[in-house]
Every structure is written in structure tokens, then in C-alpha cells.
Amino acid sequence: MSKQKDKISTAVIRRLPRYLRTLEDLENAGTERISSGELSDLIGYTASQIRQDLNHFGGFGQQGYGYNVGDLKSEIERILGMGRTYNMIIVGAGRLGQAINSFIASYKSDFRVTALFDISEAVIGKVYSGVTVRDVAGIEQYLKENKTDIGVLTVTKDQAQIACNHLLAGGVEGIWNFAPVDLENTGNTPVENVHLSDNLHSLVYYINHPQQN
Amino acid sequence: MSKQKDKISTAVIRRLPRYLRTLEDLENAGTERISSGELSDLIGYTASQIRQDLNHFGGFGQQGYGYNVGDLKSEIERILGMGRTYNMIIVGAGRLGQAINSFIASYKSDFRVTALFDISEAVIGKVYSGVTVRDVAGIEQYLKENKTDIGVLTVTKDQAQIACNHLLAGGVEGIWNFAPVDLENTGNTPVENVHLSDNLHSLVYYINHPQQN
């Protein structure tokens, strides 16, 4: 497993979670091995693309055998940084914050939301999926006392940069941003954006330009 | 505005909603014109990239003047297919469905959720942001009687393909899928996926490979 290149393209990295998801489904279905052709049918990438992607991480495919589902899944998990626990907090305990909290609670146990934060008295103290909503005024103190890996932003547009600054000051390792803004001054801290409005506008574009879909 | 090419790359189309979002912010702030350099500072793409992107749609930039914010915004809105109403239904009235419903209610009036659907008796009949939850058993009949442009899937993994089939049978023009599956048999109907788990795994990759961020 030593062939890993120094620099893996963003496009390949973006495809890895999808491989992982498919391999998990296969494993759950009891499938032990799979060819690049069969993976291609499931994932939609070409078999050649799949072989090329997976070659970046070493040659686990064997001629005439294909890939061992469990081994390939473990290797992709390792590359993606699984196998440790990620503590998360969510800033913004409105419907979207609750939805992300609920998603994480039902997702892999490697991810754990330890606290929700909000500015509104109406919601502070409430408990969602076992997680208590705290006053955002105490967020930096909380981060000092509780090692937190990922901060999730589900606040409104005008609160996003302020909340982001708290997360950075508190030393989170990564930010998952659902607010419709491009965060500033994040330095080397990775930010993953889910811009719902951008996504919706792209869909509408393709609805209006069916030939380009 | 006649220079539009036959085929615009996916990458350019993906950037357009971000231009739109930035131009809306500028317009709200009272800014009337902007250079590609200033847009570059705001958006993070290079000025040359911006000029190239916007050239796809005709030459609205003027040497020494830059872009008229309102005109450019209108043109991008036109390209993206705004200026008409999009009726939407949401299948899955759990926390995520409620969050998307609430997002749409507070977003542009061009988008309108007309109904939520769910399989669970516990939630059928409830009203969220003014929208009633209906029994999913009646979804195809509803779609027959109410022209619906976009179907949103916020159901569980095992319900997603079934719900997708209902949406397709009911003639929706596009599907916004939040379920962690790759939908099948969607033909020419555009599907926009928001795979939260994939997104989270990408973030974790970058947390573990900071040099690649």
C-alpha cells in the first residue's frame, strides 16, 4: 500500500466517499468481491476510471479476481481518515441544525455531536437527539474545555462569519458550512460548504437546458 | 447577448449561482458597478477566470467601467432560468424535510413548496411553515392535479428510489435528492444530489491531509 502519490487530485478525493458508500452497501449485502466492471455499473463511472482512481492508492485489484470488498473499503476508510472519533458541535439549532444533528446521530458512531449552540433564548436548554442546546455566548469556553474536531455552521447568513471566528478561535480542525456565505480568514482550516441555494439554482439551470444534462 | 455557446461546461454552470449570490449581496449593498478584479476579491476566482466565465454569455463587461451589477445579475438570472415560479413538493417530512421546507419558505418567492409528503401517521396532517404534510399514498394523484416542477427527496435510503419513481411518474421536471443513494432510471430528468455523508467524508479527508487543502 505504498504507491500513494504525493498529490491526489480534488476530483479523485471527491469520488472516494461515493466508492465508500457503494462498498458499504455491497458489504451489507454480503458481497465479498467485485470487478471494476461491476463497480462501474453500480457507481456510474467507467471501469477504466475506477481502476485509475483506485490505482492512486496502491494496486488492490487482482487480474481475474477483482477487488476484495472488505479490503478495499478498509483502505478507503483509512485514506479518508476514519478509525478515529470526530467530535462535532453545531452552531445554529434551528431546523437545519436539528436535521444535521439528527443525521449525525443516525450515521456512523465515529461522528458525535457533543453540543448545539444558539443565540435564541427560545431554544437554549432544549435537547435534540440527546444533545443539549447551549448559549452561543459560551462557545469559546466550551471549545477550550472540550476538544472539538468539526464545527458545523447552520446559522443565518449574517451570523456565519461571527460563528466561524468563534470556531477558529476555539481550534476546530474543520468547518462544515451550511450558511450561504463564503467564509473569510479561515487560513489552513478546511471548510466544506453545502450551499443549498447554489445547488437549487444549478438544478433549475438543468431543468431549463435539458440538452446539457 | 447572442454570443452564448452551444455547450457550456458544467464547471462554469456550477460557478454561476455563486456569481448570482455575490451580485445579489452587492445590489443589496447599493453597489452599481464592479470590476472583474473586485469581483475576484469577493468570490475568490481570478479576474481572468471571471472574465472568461462571463464571456460565455456575451460581453457585458466594458473596458474601464467593469460590470453593471444589476444588468449582470439579471443576465445570470435569465441564464439560470429565474423569472418564473417553481412549484416544489418535499417527500419526507422529518427534520431534514422540515429544514428544506423552512429554507424555501425564507428564500426567493420564485420557489414555493406546495406540499410535504410522509409515510408516517405521526406527521401526516401537521403543518410546517404553512405547508401541510400529506399521506405519501396520494402523491401521484396530487402530482396529476397540481403541476409540480421540482420534487425534493428527504426520505430514508430505502424509500428513496420508490419516492423517486412516484416523482417521475408524476412528471416533475427535476429532482433534488438528499437521500444517500444514487437514483436509477431517471432518464432525462435532471437530478441534483446533496450527499451529506460524502461531504462530511471529504471534509475529514482534508482535515487529515492539511497540505492538500
Side-chain angles (χ1 to χ4, degrees):
Chain A
M1 309 289 173
S2 58
K3 274 205 299 175
Q4 182 161 349
K5 306 290 196 322
D6 292 317
K7 175 80 182 166
I8 299 160
S9 81
T10 304
V12 176
I13 291 154
R14 293 279 152 195
R15 287 194 287 269
L16 285 181
R18 189 161 173 174
Y19 284 115
L20 179 59
R21 189 152 45 81
T22 306
L23 291 163
E24 284 165 350
D25 288 347
L26 287 167
E27 195 173 62
N28 290 337
T31 307
E32 286 179 16
R33 65 182 199 177
I34 189 157
S35 68
S36 51
E38 289 163 326
L39 260 181
S40 168
D41 289 342
L42 287 170
I43 297 192
Y45 311 145
T46 65
S48 138
Q49 170 83 80
I50 288 171
R51 283 191 301 269
Q52 205 179 322
D53 280 355
L54 300 181
N55 268 337
H56 278 94
F57 308 107
F60 347 85
Q62 283 175 44
Q63 191 74 36
Y65 175 88
Y67 299 93
N68 177 295
V69 169
D71 290 352
L72 185 53
K73 174 176 153 276
S74 300
E75 184 59 13
I76 292 179
E77 281 176 338
R78 191 191 62 75
I79 294 161
L80 287 174
M82 300 309 295
R84 54 170 271 211
T85 299
Y86 291 90
N87 288 322
M88 307 170 71
I89 63 165
I90 298 174
V91 193
R95 287 207 168 91
L96 187 56
Q98 293 171 36
I100 301 304
N101 183 46
S102 155
F103 160 70
I104 296 295
S106 66
Y107 195 54
K108 300 171 185 174
S109 56
D110 307 286
F111 298 99
R112 191 172 58 174
V113 177
T114 63
L116 290 154
F117 287 90
D118 207 283
I119 205 168
S120 158
E121 290 293 340
V123 75
I124 292 167
K126 289 205 175 179
V127 179
Y128 297 109
S129 307
V131 184
T132 304
V133 182
R134 293 160 180 264
D135 188 334
V136 77
I139 189 170
E140 290 197 20
Q141 188 62 31
Y142 179 90
L143 290 170
K144 253 183 221 162
E145 291 164 7
N146 302 275
K147 170 83 178 77
T148 301
D149 305 291
I150 297 171
V152 185
L153 293 178
T154 48
V155 292
T156 54
K157 194 169 179 162
D158 54 320
Q159 290 297 315
Q161 186 63 50
I162 300 165
C164 171
N165 296 344
H166 289 314
L167 294 176
L168 294 168
V172 302
E173 290 181 54
I175 295 174
W176 199 12
N177 175 43
F178 289 80
V181 290
D182 302 308
L183 300 170
E184 291 173 4
N185 305 318
T186 51
N188 291 319
T189 306
V191 178
E192 192 69 24
N193 291 299
V194 179
H195 287 319
L196 293 177
S197 58
D198 291 11
N199 207 259
L200 180 58
H201 281 292
S202 292
L203 176 60
V204 164
Y205 176 88
Y206 286 110
I207 286 175
N208 288 285
H209 300 77
Q211 78 288 0
Q212 294 202 7
N213 190 34
Chain B
M1 307 293 174
S2 58
K3 274 207 297 174
Q4 182 163 349
K5 307 288 199 318
D6 292 316
K7 175 81 181 165
I8 298 160
S9 81
T10 304
V12 177
I13 291 154
R14 293 280 151 194
R15 287 194 286 269
L16 285 182
R18 189 161 173 175
Y19 284 114
L20 179 58
R21 189 153 44 81
T22 306
L23 291 163
E24 284 166 350
D25 289 346
L26 287 167
E27 196 174 60
N28 290 337
T31 307
E32 284 179 16
R33 66 182 199 178
I34 190 158
S35 67
S36 50
E38 289 162 327
L39 260 181
S40 167
D41 289 341
L42 287 170
I43 297 194
Y45 312 144
T46 64
S48 136
Q49 169 83 81
I50 288 171
R51 284 191 300 269
Q52 205 179 323
D53 280 356
L54 301 181
N55 267 338
H56 278 93
F57 308 107
F60 347 86
Q62 283 175 45
Q63 192 75 35
Y65 176 87
Y67 300 93
N68 178 295
V69 169
D71 290 352
L72 185 52
K73 174 177 152 275
S74 300
E75 184 59 15
I76 293 180
E77 282 176 338
R78 192 192 61 74
I79 294 162
L80 287 174
M82 300 310 295
R84 54 169 270 210
T85 300
Y86 291 91
N87 288 321
M88 308 171 72
I89 64 164
I90 298 174
V91 193
R95 286 207 170 88
L96 187 56
Q98 292 170 37
I100 302 304
N101 183 46
S102 155
F103 160 71
I104 296 295
S106 66
Y107 196 55
K108 301 171 184 172
S109 57
D110 307 287
F111 298 100
R112 190 173 58 175
V113 177
T114 62
L116 290 153
F117 287 90
D118 206 284
I119 204 167
S120 156
E121 290 293 340
V123 76
I124 293 167
K126 288 205 175 178
V127 179
Y128 297 108
S129 307
V131 184
T132 304
V133 182
R134 293 160 181 262
D135 188 335
V136 77
I139 189 171
E140 290 196 21
Q141 188 62 32
Y142 180 90
L143 290 170
K144 251 182 224 163
E145 291 164 7
N146 301 275
K147 170 82 177 77
T148 302
D149 304 291
I150 296 171
V152 185
L153 292 179
T154 48
V155 292
T156 54
K157 193 169 179 162
D158 54 321
Q159 291 297 314
Q161 186 63 50
I162 300 166
C164 172
N165 295 344
H166 289 312
L167 293 176
L168 294 168
V172 301
E173 290 182 54
I175 295 174
W176 199 11
N177 175 42
F178 289 81
V181 291
D182 302 307
L183 300 169
E184 291 173 5
N185 304 319
T186 50
N188 291 320
T189 306
V191 177
E192 192 68 24
N193 292 299
V194 179
H195 288 318
L196 293 178
S197 59
D198 291 12
N199 208 260
L200 180 58
H201 282 292
S202 292
L203 176 59
V204 164
Y205 176 88
Y206 286 111
I207 285 176
N208 287 284
H209 300 78
Q211 77 288 0
Q212 294 202 7
N213 188 34

